Amino acid sequence: MKRATWIGSIVLSAFLVITLAFPVGARTIKIGVIGPMNFVQGKGHWNGAIMGAEEINAKGGVQVGKEKMKIELVKADSNEFLSLTDATNAIERLITSDKVDFIVGGFRTEAVLAMQDIAMDYKKIFMSAGAAHPELCTRVAKDYNRYKYFFRVTPFNSSYLVRTSFAHMGYVGAILKKELQLPKVKVAIVAEKAVWVDPMIAAAQSVIPKMGMDVVGIWRPSAVATDVTAELAAIQKSGANLIFTIFSSSVGIPFARQAGELKIPAVQVGINVEAQKDGFWEATKGMGNYVFTTNTYVRGVEYNNLTAPFVEAYYKRFGEVPTYTADTHTAIVQGLVPSIEAVGSLDADKIVAHLENREYLVPSGKVKYEKDAQGRPTHDLTWGPGYLTSLGVQWQDGKLVGVWPNKWVAAPGAPEITYKGIVPYKIPPWMK
């Protein structure tokens, strides 16, 4: 009887806390979460947002002036890999039918550009967590009054992505040259057919020779190709030692698997979003061993004191390491909510004015929104030591580990950077 009374008291207390925090009829802050929900990128969007909303609501919600408001998420499948029309329809529904206050998510540049225009038509703050093309933020600088409601959350724009990839290439190239005693490293560029990739290829063609390496060819398989043996045969024939990959879509799996099966004598370095996932090892049947990719998170590596709590909580909740699209969590917890509370309002113009001038820690580093050479806000992310750098990670015998930055010096005189938990890079044994 006493036990029943004790349990009843706890239930009643919990009910009262919830009721006091969120009285019946209280307004909620509605956040639309949009992404390709049948793909890993969209699942990351949704999972990160769930964690963010739950964290905020568990603390009592968002203080908006004198009112405490709970976060309510609205899920929208953009289907943007297959249909731009589906993507634009989905964001239109979020705004006009679901009446959301804010929007987070989006992945493919082609779709996000179109969705951006619709969000701007309605003056909705849209925090993008996936698209990399610089044009998204160039629009903010060129037409601030229209596009100021757009912010990039992740990843860096493709110009910074390529600089990061070049740093990775330089790091691995130096190891190859030293350990394999190569006079000059030969590089094959392999990039999926997508608009966000185009500026990266142009930059790679220009910069790689300046890094003391030769470009031996460029290959552009479909983003959803399932057989790339023809490309791999040509790459092997080219004599490449290093394959610079630029993949955001499913082609990253067959490319890594078939390269491993054929024991292509060239390391893979660059961007392979599929290789960032825990399921990559099984998807490639272990043939993806030694693949190196840019990544945002990996267990055991910490940018700051926010990293491990976020990564481990996400892993505990969803059974996998967060991909970068899970930074919808960052958009909500470290981005939107502090600015809403600071201005005490859901007024988009007031929030924009506050958010664009903040610097704040996130689990992947520190966010500071850039201005262009003319001093105009771009709402793009600052890249580099002290801000956001991302990681270089490598599959080593079934485990994804962090291998970069490892004593990285971004520029002469800059501090040397090695994050906590970084381990040495490994060359595939069939290349030795």
Side-chain angles (χ1 to χ4, degrees), residues 127 151-152 355-356 360 367-370 379-381:
M127 302 195 74
F151 288 82
R152 194 192 303 277
L355 184 56
E356 69 183 7
Y360 53 95
V367 165
K368 178 184 178 184
Y369 285 108
E370 289 189 326
H379 297 177
D380 212 343
L381 297 164

Side-chain angles (χ1 to χ4, degrees), residues 91-158:
I91 198 167
E92 186 98 33
R93 281 196 300 274
L94 277 178
I95 298 170
T96 61
S97 179
D98 298 312
K99 309 291 185 186
V100 300
D101 298 292
F102 307 99
I103 300 166
V104 298
F107 185 73
R108 292 193 72 81
T109 294
E110 294 90 333
V112 176
L113 282 165
M115 292 193 288
Q116 182 189 37
D117 270 321
I118 294 171
M120 300 306 105
D121 287 344
Y122 291 94
K123 302 184 186 305
K124 290 292 177 187
I125 292 180
F126 179 14
M127 302 195 74
S128 172
H133 201 287
E135 178 62 19
L136 289 160
C137 291
T138 301
R139 286 176 163 187
V140 178
K142 288 181 176 177
D143 191 352
Y144 180 78
N145 286 335
R146 172 168 171 74
Y147 289 101
K148 64 182 178 182
Y149 306 100
F150 180 87
F151 288 82
R152 194 192 303 277
V153 176
T154 186
F156 320 120
N157 69 49
S158 47

Side-chain angles (χ1 to χ4, degrees), residues 220-289:
R220 300 291 302 269
S222 162
V224 292
T226 56
D227 184 351
V228 290
T229 51
E231 287 87 348
L232 286 167
I235 290 167
Q236 185 166 8
K237 189 176 180 181
S238 75
N241 315 109
L242 188 154
I243 303 172
F244 179 46
T245 59
I246 313 176
F247 299 143
S248 71
S249 194
S250 58
V251 66
I253 290 177
F255 189 88
R257 186 183 67 244
Q258 292 174 341
E261 289 170 347
L262 296 169
K263 294 282 189 295
I264 298 295
V267 300
Q268 296 170 53
V269 180
I271 298 169
N272 185 339
V273 172
E274 293 291 340
Q276 299 170 355
K277 297 157 47 180
D278 289 342
F280 178 75
W281 186 259
E282 287 73 24
T284 62
K285 300 179 180 177
M287 292 294 107
N289 208 7

